Amino acid sequence: MLACRSATRSAQHKPLTYASRTFSFSAPRSRQRLVILGSGWGGYEVMRGIDKNRWNVTMVSPSNYFNFTPLLASCSVGTLEFRSAVEPVRRYTPQVKAYQAWCDKIDFDRKVLDCVPATPPLAQSKPGELASFQLHYDALVIAVGAYSQTFNVPGVKEHAHFLKDVSNARAIRSRIMECFEQANQPTMSDIDRRNILHFCIVGGGPTGVEFAAELHDLLNTDVKRHFPGLVNLARISLFDVAPRILGSFDEGLQEFATARFKRDGIRILTQHHVERVEAGRMYVKEKGEVPFGLLVWSTGLAPNPLVESIGEARKDPKTKGLTTNDECQVIMDSTGQADPDVYAIGDAATIVDAPLPATAQVANQKAKYLYKKLNRLVRGRAHTEPFVFHNMGSLAYIGDWTAVYDRTQSENLRGKEAGRLAWLLWRSAYFTRTLSIRNKILVPFYWFMNWIFGRDLSRF
Ligand SMILES: Cc1cc2nc3c(=O)[nH]c(=O)nc-3n(C[C@H](O)[C@H](O)[C@H](O)COP(=O)(O)OP(=O)(O)OC[C@H]3O[C@@H](n4cnc5c(N)ncnc54)[C@H](O)[C@@H]3O)c2cc1C
């Protein structure tokens, strides 16, 4: 029994009862059927680039949009508005058929997918029951990403916020404002105010660091202006079990970021282990009880339940993701051979013996490689060139108009940058990577508007 269906999307969703009614959809046979699972960095890019006149394309994803994840931290504090960090799947319909649904099961022999709607159940459905449907494919792209890792720490799923989707960013923004409005009530004691204005982040990787930096910017500008009596009670604490933050970055850049955070008053608590989380407090091995108003949890990736459920394919022992050959074709366990019609890219997949970081950069480059390959294959041309990753370096925003840019692993222009220039490169990188013209206008517009007028602190 599979565990990845839900009526509404959430990063760590709960399973619903499976339905008995099953519908089957088979596209006309004139064109080869390509089904793409997932509308993230991998799946959305394949959908954009694929030859839709030659392939009969179907997108299955529980979200009918693409999340521009590098901008989520900015959205969660109001530096950017939510809609500027998403791109709709519907931009490509009706050329592409799209179902807002979870794929729950893949039958590789029959080339059939079991899917369950990710929309609320119909009025006539029994509670918790959803009608499932089947899709047939000739070629399949698995780009379902990964989930947030919790290391089974009790209470994390119930009491912490994740930052993987624009809906998470929206919940975080609302909670930050709730904390300040609550702390502002005349009935609150100073101790309660301090507790509710304690913002904790667990995970010192780029996501945790960027969120801490964006939050610091919010506190030091708009919150300072509008809640002058509260800002000095607010604290940001960043926990990690590792000895350093930004572990994947060059050591000099780690030190630069650490010094910057210390100067900005962000507490870095490395080599700290969170053991349990409850409403409004967590228990840390080295510190005991730590009260918080908001806890953002970002400690890496856990496998997607669909990927976990695929017993036929070979898994990577470390990431538990699907293993592929260097043409992104999934390796089947029984034969040790790649299935020529099943591809896996992004955070859900690892090329055997050539692991790459779980980043948008890798997912996007694999997607580009894959649609070019599929566009050749559909024309009857051969394509056997392997995927080659071109490392463009890593960027992280560290607050107050500064960033770090690590190009020590890149092929060209090796080096590193920290400070204002790196921040300019960070902003221009994400501005140029933004996909639609609409967002290319909206993103700088919101940057400019918030710089002039400040962020909107309304809570709704
Ligand atoms: C806040 C944040 C900031 C980041 N910043 C950067 C950055 O600056 N640079 C960088 O390189 N990387 C960054 N990353 C990492 C990057 O976002 C991921 O590596 C990338 O999203 C992976 O792409 P993907 O297509 O594999 O998965 P995702 O983008 O996660 O997409 C997965 C898709 O699959 C769908 N899905 C899930 N389950 C199913 C199912 N059962 N059936 C069908 N569809 C399903 C999901 O709804 C989603 O649409 C960041 C990540 C986060 C969370």
Side-chain angles (χ1 to χ4, degrees), residues 4-5 9 13 36-44 60-63 65-73 101-104 143-147 163-165 206-207 210 298 301 304-307 345-349 357-364 393 395 426 430:
C4 57
R5 41 182 180 269
R9 191 196 190 290
H13 58 274
I36 305 167
L37 301 181
S39 57
W41 276 98
Y44 196 81
V60 178
S61 178
S63 29
Y65 55 84
F66 157 73
N67 263 307
F68 194 94
T69 47
L71 296 182
L72 291 184
W102 301 93
C103 172
D104 252 3
V144 294
Y147 276 32
L163 184 54
K164 278 208 58 87
D165 184 83
T207 300
E210 287 197 340
S298 171
L301 301 177
N304 182 298
L306 174 68
V307 170
I345 55 173
D347 290 357
T359 61
Q361 206 182 124
V362 173
N364 195 250
L395 284 154
W426 177 82
Y430 291 128

